């Protein structure tokens, strides 16, 4: 009978005995060997076996025999790839760990430096809004501008509180007046004394928007806008007499009481002549030209000019000429404009800005003119007015 293997395939060699696939012989119950020259038909093809069939686990010479094993290919390359894959993961993890360690070290060192540094040295002691290490002078300049910007923003946000838009224009055109304008809505509309020390022969530089008098009403508006005439006259008075008892607010009140707070410049020129004697001053007027300006600006004499709109500034107002410089230029104190006051002016430019020169001096002082000027039609011409 033909035998079959586990796959039910027929095998040659031998027949079953008594329903068993094994043959037995002898009384000793020993197994009889099966001829070894049989063929194996397996999944990988047909092979001949060199020996007979043997029991499980039995090895013959040369290690052959026993039940056949199916051949399987071992993927050694796949194993190596798995090893290399693990190595790459380890390398990536190692690199990340190194980067993390570096970041930790840098962070710790920065914290140590920051914690160990003196806070007093890391901030500007004059103004914390300015970087440390900046000089005190520059810090003060930055602080001034920063404060102005903040206050200008406040003025813009509360612009509806200003009945006179001229104050808003003042804040925009004159940065130095921003502090005054910002405080104006809540300020008392009263005046305070000047209070500063005055030296005779040195006129102080005064501004219309000074909080000591800029809030009072004059000519229908705040003196900060309309007070160029009283302010210029106050400077001349203080410089000539050395007294500080006549502030711009005081002279503005006198002009208002004299009905002289009129005209484009808010003070009539006639008020200079009418008030001079009461102030203890001497007044003279001359036709405006460069020569008369130079002669009038002699020692002890101050000149007031009512400038026309569009000449020195865009509006008509009063200015004070303080002195003539060696190069013939003239120092100007403009109570409405720091820009105008910041540099000297040519005599011809100033003379062209007005029609009349108004000179103030102490009684009995030389006004810089002589009788010869009458022949030239200058200081002693028919238009000259004297009040001594």
């Amino acid at each position: 009978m033909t035998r079959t293997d586990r796959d039910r395939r027929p095998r040659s060699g031998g027949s079953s005995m008594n329903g068993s696939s094994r043959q037995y012989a002898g009384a000793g119950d020993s197994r009889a060997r099966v001829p070894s020259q049989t063929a194996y038909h397996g999944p990988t093809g047909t092979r001949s076996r060199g020996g007979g069939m043997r029991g499980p686990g039995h090895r013959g010479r040369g290690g052959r025999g026993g039940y056949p094993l199916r051949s399987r290919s071992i993927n050694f390359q796949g194993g190596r790839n798995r090893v290399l894959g693990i190595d790459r993961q380890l390398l990536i993890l190692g690199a990340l760990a190194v980067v993390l360690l570096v970041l930790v070290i840098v962070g710790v060192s920065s914290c140590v430096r920051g914690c160990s540094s003196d806070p007093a040295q890391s901030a500007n002691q004059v103004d914390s809004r300015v970087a440390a290490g900046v000089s005190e002078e520059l810090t003060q300049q930055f602080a001034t501008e920063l404060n102005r910007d903040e206050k200008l923003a406040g003025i813009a946000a509360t612009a509806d509180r200003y009945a006179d838009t001229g104050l808003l224009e003042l804040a925009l055109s004159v940065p130095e007046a921003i502090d005054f304008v910002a405080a104006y809505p809540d300020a008392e509309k009263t005046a305070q004394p000047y209070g500063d020390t005055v030296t005779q022969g040195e006129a102080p530089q005064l501004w219309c928007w000074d909080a000591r008098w800029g809030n009072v009403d004059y000519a229908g508006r705040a003196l900060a806008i309309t007070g160029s005439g009283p302010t210029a006259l106050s400077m001349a008075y203080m410089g000539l007499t050395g007294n500080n008892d006549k502030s711009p607010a005081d002279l503005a009140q006198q002009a208002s009481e004299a009905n002289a707070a009129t005209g484009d410049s808010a003070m009539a020129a006639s008020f200079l002549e009418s008030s001079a004697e009461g102030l203890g001053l001497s007044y003279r007027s001359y036709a405006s030209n460069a020569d008369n300006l130079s002669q009038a600006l002699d020692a002890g004499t101050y000149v007031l000019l009512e400038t026309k709109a569009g000449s020195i500034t865009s509006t008509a107002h009063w200015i004070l000429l303080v002195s003539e410089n060696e190069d013939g230029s003239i120092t100007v104190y403009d109570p409405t404009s720091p820009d105008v006051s910041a540099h000297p002016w040519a005599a011809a430019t100033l003379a062209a800005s007005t029609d009349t020169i108004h000179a103030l001096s102490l009684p009995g002082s030389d006004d810089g003119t002589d009788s010869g000027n009458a022949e030239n039609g200058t200081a002693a011409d028919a238009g000259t007015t004297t009040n001594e």
Side-chain angles (χ1 to χ4, degrees):
M1 178 180 291
T2 303
R3 296 182 295 173
T4 61
D5 58 15
R6 292 182 178 180
D7 296 329
R8 312 294 295 177
R9 296 178 182 175
R11 290 191 299 181
S12 61
S15 61
S16 64
M17 180 179 290
N18 297 326
S20 174
S21 62
R22 294 186 179 86
Q23 297 178 349
Y24 298 92
D29 197 22
S30 60
R31 296 179 181 178
R33 295 185 180 274
V34 180
S36 61
Q37 300 300 322
T38 58
Y40 167 69
H41 303 278
T44 59
T46 302
R47 293 189 303 178
S48 62
R49 286 191 282 213
M53 189 172 187
R54 306 192 182 165
H58 180 80
R59 289 179 179 274
R61 290 181 185 174
R64 297 182 181 275
Y67 292 118
L69 298 176
R70 294 182 183 181
S71 66
R72 294 182 181 178
S73 60
I74 301 175
N75 189 358
F76 294 101
Q77 184 67 29
R80 184 169 62 185
N81 287 340
R82 286 195 296 274
V83 173
L84 292 177
I86 295 174
D87 291 345
R88 282 195 293 268
Q89 292 179 359
L90 292 175
L91 289 174
I92 293 173
L93 290 175
L96 292 175
V98 171
V99 172
L100 180 61
L101 180 61
V102 171
L103 292 176
V104 170
I105 294 174
V106 172
V108 170
S109 62
S110 299
C111 180
V112 170
R113 287 195 301 268
C115 295
S116 61
S117 60
D118 185 2
Q121 296 179 355
S122 60
N124 191 306
Q125 297 302 298
V126 178
D127 194 312
S128 60
R129 296 173 298 177
V130 183
V134 178
S135 68
E136 182 175 353
E137 181 180 358
L138 285 176
T139 298
Q140 293 287 6
Q141 294 179 17
F142 275 119
T144 299
E145 295 302 323
L146 290 171
N147 292 337
R148 285 174 178 171
D149 289 343
E150 292 176 359
K151 290 182 179 180
L152 187 60
I155 293 171
T158 59
D160 55 347
R161 299 185 62 191
Y162 296 85
D164 190 342
T165 58
L167 290 168
L168 302 177
E169 295 171 356
L170 176 64
L172 290 171
S173 60
V174 184
E176 292 83 356
I178 289 176
D179 289 348
F180 169 82
V181 176
Y184 180 82
D186 300 318
E188 294 288 338
K189 304 306 183 285
T190 57
Q192 291 80 39
Y194 176 62
D196 292 358
T197 301
V198 176
T199 301
Q200 188 175 16
E202 298 179 7
Q205 173 72 79
L206 304 181
W207 309 106
C208 295
W209 60 82
D210 192 302
R212 288 169 289 190
W213 49 77
N215 293 297
V216 301
D217 291 332
Y218 173 69
R221 306 176 74 181
L223 190 147
I225 301 173
T226 57
S228 64
T231 305
L233 178 56
S234 178
M235 288 190 285
Y237 169 82
M238 292 184 187
L240 290 169
T241 65
N243 299 325
N244 63 358
D245 59 330
K246 298 297 182 182
S247 73
D250 296 324
L251 296 176
Q253 183 177 359
Q254 290 186 22
S256 298
E257 293 172 352
N259 296 321
T262 60
D264 294 337
S265 63
M267 189 182 79
S270 60
F271 178 68
L272 295 176
E273 180 180 1
S274 63
S275 65
E277 184 176 359
L279 294 174
L281 303 178
S282 174
Y283 169 81
R284 290 194 178 192
S285 63
Y286 310 99
S288 181
N289 58 61
D291 290 337
N292 278 352
L293 276 180
S294 297
Q295 293 182 41
L297 285 172
D298 196 5
T301 301
Y302 290 106
V303 171
L304 282 80
L305 299 182
E306 185 181 15
T307 60
K308 302 173 184 177
S311 56
I312 302 302
T313 65
S314 61
T315 59
H317 69 289
W318 289 90
I319 63 175
L320 177 69
L321 309 189
V322 178
S323 63
E324 184 179 25
N325 303 310
E326 293 182 357
D327 61 356
S329 63
I330 296 175
T331 299
V332 176
Y333 282 1
D334 186 338
T336 71
S337 174
D339 290 340
V340 172
S341 305
H343 61 87
W345 289 76
T349 301
L350 295 173
S353 70
T354 188
D355 296 327
T356 305
I357 298 171
H358 306 273
L360 290 173
S361 61
L362 290 175
S365 63
D366 186 3
D367 63 2
T369 62
D370 56 39
S371 60
N373 290 330
E375 298 177 358
N376 297 325
T378 55
D381 62 10
T384 298
T385 303
T386 302
N387 183 6
E388 292 184 314

